[in-house]
């Protein structure tokens, strides 16, 4: 089999030896100034480079044929030309300044470019639309390297998450138009709070490793940047509807004025989404809308963006006990109680409810002399709760007095409670960008403040409580201030070399005041000062290949739960540090693209769960002195023919903790037992993650994508025990899209997405709690099974 594969590749590559030519040229402005760092793309091929310090570019060994040459440079109009390659070809191209300032200036401080020593993948709007039938952001990104996804409801709608290089979402820096999206306290991001966000997104960039992030939480595994509402110069309207398995229905309307009077633009989107979910009662009822208003001048741009999302989801956070998986994979025990007649019931409003609004305001100014100024203000408001039916609750646990009725004293009762979060997050970011012939310098900073009220109230009890109907039992407040200043330098000392430096100083002040839900006083104050340097070198080996080396440092403060649950009798959690060493190599020809990224991510004081508990028995996270992730990412692309393209990626990694000690509760002694494991694997870090995307476009207006994903075994905890492990799985999805362009409208398209076409049974996430009782080890656990074969189908009307 191996000989056959090598033989096929040899024949395939050998066919490109003959009839190959060179395409070269320069890119300058109308004054003759060289434009270094311009993007030069030869479409219908894998050729894509940035111009050198003198504006030069060169593609060697281009196969004869017809191509579309596309060139872009920030602040200038793009260049497109259909060229027929039959001999060596040289072009001297002039780009002219835009008559209006482009949207891309907004994200210059957070976006990686081709001349940076960063491992990144960009997902374009065409690829987003191909799969956008209702599933959340993680499913849109599923084919990017080193990424593993999961869904609580099992079908990708509702609460869904991803990990990159084994790093969970609250260690991944996420920005929306350069504005931090991570919750300042928990560091998490919940896609369910902004349903159908991707319908407003023009591009998503995933930077693996520390990346170039400047705003928000520290990037401990990756950075994900979203850009929304880029200018569409012509008026448009879209109506999109889809339906599918589990009574899933999605509808949205997109409207835009185009560019009015060569200055103004208005866009809007309204979305409604419902799904029952694969898991019992794990429904999601989601609503969102977004609006954008922009002014484009020749030197100025002003932009306002408003996004709002409302979600109601039935809780499916506990998963399915392992012993139930074989008989009922969709079982959901949340909300279960026994009524007065001894009958098992499910509380119908065991739901999570949240409303979140985002307001962003941007101002950009071209100051001349190759200097660009950017300023952005943002405000996010969130308010919501989750509701629970709780049986036989002691009033004392809520700080309530016992109820005395006649001669009887009632100490407990069934009740319904709500846990609330009411928060505000606001601030600004600013940057100054100088782009010269050999140097690109960005200097900037940001200031943010978060104010969060956490409180709980009992809204019903089977025995009347003294006081108000909604009786509050705890309240605490979080106050977090975060500022940073940074400078980034991209310098081209020679045609074949780029130097990169990024220096950031970040300061955090965080305080909590009040009582938690267990009536503990969690008042405390913390302050951090971090220096996060990044250095890199990128060099061109020849016209087809280049390589880079980089070293980066990221520091991350503990989140709210780390502080809140810490044992006051033991050491408090400290900040974590990541030393990230990266090497990359890239080779591109007309029909082949190869990329290799090797990384060593060395963690100091990483916070992990070891089983330790605090003074009231709640689990805490503990700083582990040494741990690391060592891996290699291989990406390849092959244009087999004009209608057949194959792209694939594979990550091999080793993820280890040194000197691990695990603690297990002993219910017989009310103490803990200690296990020493020495070197062990980090949880949820598969050694192999691979994906494949075969794109077939043999017929006009009809496209098929065959998507395959392999995820190796994952350990549920850090003990590397086979009984606490998720089995490897291999999935295949099929996406088909057919479009027509009638005279009376722009486009009608039909799509169908078949997920898990071979009906594989698998679990993508889990949790486990171990304990001893009667001197025998027991455990409680929850696994998250994902749906078997299911489908989504949709129609899109574009005017």
């Amino acid at each position: 089999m191996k000989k056959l594969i090598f033989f096929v590749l040899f024949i395939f590559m050998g066919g490109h030896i003959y009839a190959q030519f060179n395409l070269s040229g320069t890119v300058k402005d109308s004054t003759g100034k060289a434009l270094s760092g311009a993007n030069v793309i030869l479409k219908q091929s894998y050729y894509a480079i940035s111009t050198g310090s003198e504006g030069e570019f060169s593609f060697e060994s281009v196969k004869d044929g017809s191509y579309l040459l596309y060139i872009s440079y920030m602040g200038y109009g793009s260049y497109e030309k259909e060229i027929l390659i039959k001999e060596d070809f040289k072009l001297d191209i002039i780009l002219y300044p835009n008559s209006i300032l482009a949207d891309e200036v907004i994200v210059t401080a957070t976006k990686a470019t081709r001349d940076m020593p960063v491992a990144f993948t960009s997902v374009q709007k065409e690829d987003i639309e191909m799969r956008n039938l209702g599933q959340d952001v993680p499913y849109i990104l599923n084919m990017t390297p080193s990424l593993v996804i999961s869904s609580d409801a099992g079908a990708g709608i509702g609460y869904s998450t991803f990990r990159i290089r084994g790093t969970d979402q609250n260690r991944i820096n996420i920005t929306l138009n350069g504005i931090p999206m991570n919750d300042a306290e928990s560091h998490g991001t919940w896609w369910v709070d902004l349903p159908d966000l991707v319908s407003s997104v023009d591009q998503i960039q995933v930077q693996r490793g520390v990346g170039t992030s400047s705003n928000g939480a520290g990037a401990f595994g990756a950075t994900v940047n979203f850009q929304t509402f880029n200018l569409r110069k012509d008026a448009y309207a879209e109506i999109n509807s889809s339906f599918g398995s589990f009574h899933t229905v999605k509808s949205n309307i997109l409207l835009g004025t185009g560019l009015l009077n060569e200055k103004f633009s208005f866009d809007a989107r309204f979305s409604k989404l419902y799904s029952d979910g694969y898991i019992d009662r794990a429904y999601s009822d989601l609503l969102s809308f977004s609006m954008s208003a922009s002014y484009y001048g020749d030197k100025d741009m002003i932009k306002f963006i408003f996004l709002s999302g409302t979600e109601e989801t039935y809780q499916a956070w506990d998963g399915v006990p392992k012993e139930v998986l074989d008989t009922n994979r969709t079982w959901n025990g949340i909300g279960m109680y026994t009524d007065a007649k001894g009958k098992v019931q499910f509380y119908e409003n065991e739901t999570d409810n949240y409303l979140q609004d985002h307001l962003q305001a941007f101002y950009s100014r071209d100051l001349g002399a190759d200097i660009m100024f950017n300023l952005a203000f943002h405000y996010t408001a969130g308010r919501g709760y989750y509701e629970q039916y709780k049986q036989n609750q002691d009033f004392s646990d809520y700080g309530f007095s016992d109820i005395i009725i006649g001669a009887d004293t009632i100490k407990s009762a069934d009740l319904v409670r709500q846990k609330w979060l009411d928060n505000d997050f606001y601030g600004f970011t600013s940057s100054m960008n100088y782009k010269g012939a050999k140097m690109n310098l960005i200097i900037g900073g940001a200031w943010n403040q978060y104010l969060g009220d956490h409180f709980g109230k009992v809204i019903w009890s089977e025995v009347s409580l003294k006081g108000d109907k909604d009786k509050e039992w705890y309240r605490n407040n979080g106050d977090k201030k975060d500022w940073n200043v940074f400078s980034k330098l991209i310098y081209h000392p020679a045609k074949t070399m780029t130097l990169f430096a990024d220096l950031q100083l970040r300061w955090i002040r965080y305080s909590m005041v009040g009582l938690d839900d267990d009536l503990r006083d969690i008042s405390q104050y913390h302050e951090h000062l971090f220096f996060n340097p990044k250095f890199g070198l990128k060099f061109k080996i020849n016209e087809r290949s280049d390589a880079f080396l980089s070293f980066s440092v990221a520091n991350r403060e503990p989140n709210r739960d780390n502080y809140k649950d810490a044992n006051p009798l033991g050491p408090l959690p400290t900040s974590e540090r990541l030393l990230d060493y990266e090497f990359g190599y890239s080779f591109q020809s007309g029909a082949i693209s190869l990329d290799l990224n090797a990384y060593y991510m060395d963690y100091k004081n990483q916070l992990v769960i070891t089983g330790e508990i605090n003074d009231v028995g709640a689990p805490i996270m503990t700083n582990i002195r040494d741990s690391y992730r060592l891996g290699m990412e291989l990406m390849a692309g092959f244009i087999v023919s004009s209608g057949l393209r194959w792209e694939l990626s594979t990550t091999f990694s080793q993820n280890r903790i040194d000197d691990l000690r695990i603690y297990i509760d002993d219910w017989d002694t009310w103490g803990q037992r200690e296990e020493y494991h020495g070197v062990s694997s980090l949880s949820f870090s598969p050694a192999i993650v691979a994906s494949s995307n075969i794109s077939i476009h043999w017929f006009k207006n009809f496209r098929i994508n065959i998507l395959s994903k392999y995820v190796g075994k994952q350990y549920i905890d850090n003990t590397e025990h086979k009984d606490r492990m998720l089995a490897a799985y291999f999935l295949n999805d099929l996406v088909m899209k057919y479009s027509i362009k009638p005279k009376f409208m722009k486009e009608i398209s039909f799509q169908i997405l078949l997920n898990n076409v071979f009906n594989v049974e698998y679990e993508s996430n889990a949790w486990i709690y171990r304990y001893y009782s009667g001197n025998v080890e027991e455990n409680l656990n929850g696994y998250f099974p994902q749906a078997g074969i299911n489908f989504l189908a949709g129609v899109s009307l574009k005017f």
Side-chain angles (χ1 to χ4, degrees), residues 13 89 254 307 428 449 482 519 545 688 736 756 799:
M13 291 185 288
F89 213 90
L254 292 84
L307 303 102
F428 72 88
Q449 181 164 16
D482 179 343
L519 306 183
S545 56
I688 302 176
M736 294 178 284
N756 194 1
F799 302 91

Side-chain angles (χ1 to χ4, degrees), residues 139 142-143 149 690-692 706-711 728-734 755-762 764 786-788:
Y139 288 74
N142 192 30
M143 288 296 106
I149 64 175
S691 64
S692 167
I706 303 170
L707 309 174
S708 303
K709 188 75 177 246
Y710 175 81
V711 177
Y729 53 88
F730 179 57
L731 305 175
N732 292 272
D733 302 337
L734 181 65
N755 295 296
N756 194 1
V757 294
F758 296 117
N759 202 32
V760 175
E761 288 191 353
Y762 71 105
S764 59
Q786 304 298 288

Side-chain angles (χ1 to χ4, degrees), residues 678-698:
V679 178
S680 188
S681 291
L682 282 164
S683 60
F684 300 108
S685 301
I688 302 176
V689 178
S691 64
S692 167
N693 182 357
I694 299 175
S695 180
I696 302 171
H697 201 169
W698 287 330

Side-chain angles (χ1 to χ4, degrees), residues 118-119 165 171 173 207-214 217-224 502 504 532-534 550-555 577-582 601 603:
V118 176
R165 291 184 177 177
R171 282 176 164 81
N173 177 273
Q207 303 170 17
R208 298 181 298 280
V210 171
T212 65
S213 160
S214 298
F220 258 50
T223 296
V224 182
D502 180 346
Q504 183 201 51
N532 299 317
K534 309 174 184 72
S550 71
F551 169 72
S552 306
V553 178
N555 290 276
R577 174 172 293 182
L578 167 61
L579 308 178
D580 184 19
Y581 305 83
E582 304 262 346
M601 302 169 70
Y603 294 90

Side-chain angles (χ1 to χ4, degrees), residues 495-659:
K495 292 182 179 180
T496 59
M497 183 179 296
T498 301
L499 300 177
F500 174 78
D502 180 346
L503 306 177
Q504 183 201 51
L505 189 67
R506 181 170 178 243
W507 172 77
I508 301 107
R509 189 180 73 183
Y510 179 49
S511 63
M512 289 188 288
V513 178
L515 300 180
D516 197 24
D517 60 355
D518 57 5
L519 306 183
R520 285 185 306 133
D521 186 348
I522 58 172
S523 300
Q524 51 191 285
Y525 173 84
H526 304 278
E527 194 166 338
H528 301 274
L529 181 63
F530 296 139
F531 176 56
N532 299 317
K534 309 174 184 72
F535 303 99
L537 166 66
K538 190 164 188 176
F539 47 94
K540 182 180 290 187
I541 300 171
N542 52 47
E543 297 302 330
R544 285 190 173 192
S545 56
D546 54 46
F548 74 80
L549 294 166
S550 71
F551 169 72
S552 306
V553 178
N555 290 276
R556 176 182 179 269
E557 72 278 16
N559 65 24
R560 167 186 159 81
D561 286 344
N562 300 148
Y563 284 133
K564 177 176 69 71
D565 297 332
N567 192 345
L569 305 177
L572 292 176
T574 63
S575 60
E576 306 167 88
R577 174 172 293 182
L578 167 61
L579 308 178
D580 184 19
Y581 305 83
E582 304 262 346
F583 166 77
Y585 170 79
S586 177
F587 170 86
Q588 293 176 329
S589 71
I592 301 174
S593 173
L594 299 173
D595 290 276
L596 180 151
N597 297 126
Y599 60 88
Y600 176 60
M601 302 169 70
D602 185 14
Y603 294 90
K604 305 298 181 183
N605 294 321
Q606 184 176 189
L607 284 162
V608 302
I609 292 177
T610 64
E612 285 193 87
I613 58 176
N614 62 18
D615 57 326
V616 295
I620 63 175
M621 295 189 77
T622 307
N623 291 101
I624 297 295
R625 186 180 63 182
D626 293 308
S627 55
Y628 68 88
R629 300 184 185 277
L630 174 66
M632 179 179 295
E633 297 164 331
L634 302 171
M635 289 77 71
F638 305 95
I639 299 176
V640 181
S641 67
S642 60
L644 180 59
R645 181 181 295 221
W646 182 30
E647 296 177 337
L648 62 157
S649 70
T650 304
T651 300
F652 302 96
S653 65
Q654 187 179 74
N655 310 277
R656 294 287 188 266
I657 297 177
D658 294 335
D659 195 30

Side-chain angles (χ1 to χ4, degrees), residues 5 25 147 201 402 439 480 523 568 611 634 667 682 697 763 773:
I5 293 173
L147 188 140
V201 169
D402 295 341
M439 182 176 71
K480 185 173 184 179
S523 300
L634 302 171
W667 290 10
L682 282 164
H697 201 169
E763 296 81 44
S773 178

Side-chain angles (χ1 to χ4, degrees), residues 284-299:
S284 298
D285 193 357
L286 315 175
L287 177 68
S288 71
F289 66 92
S290 55
M291 297 180 289
S292 172
S294 306
Y295 164 80
Y296 298 93
D298 56 348
K299 295 289 185 180

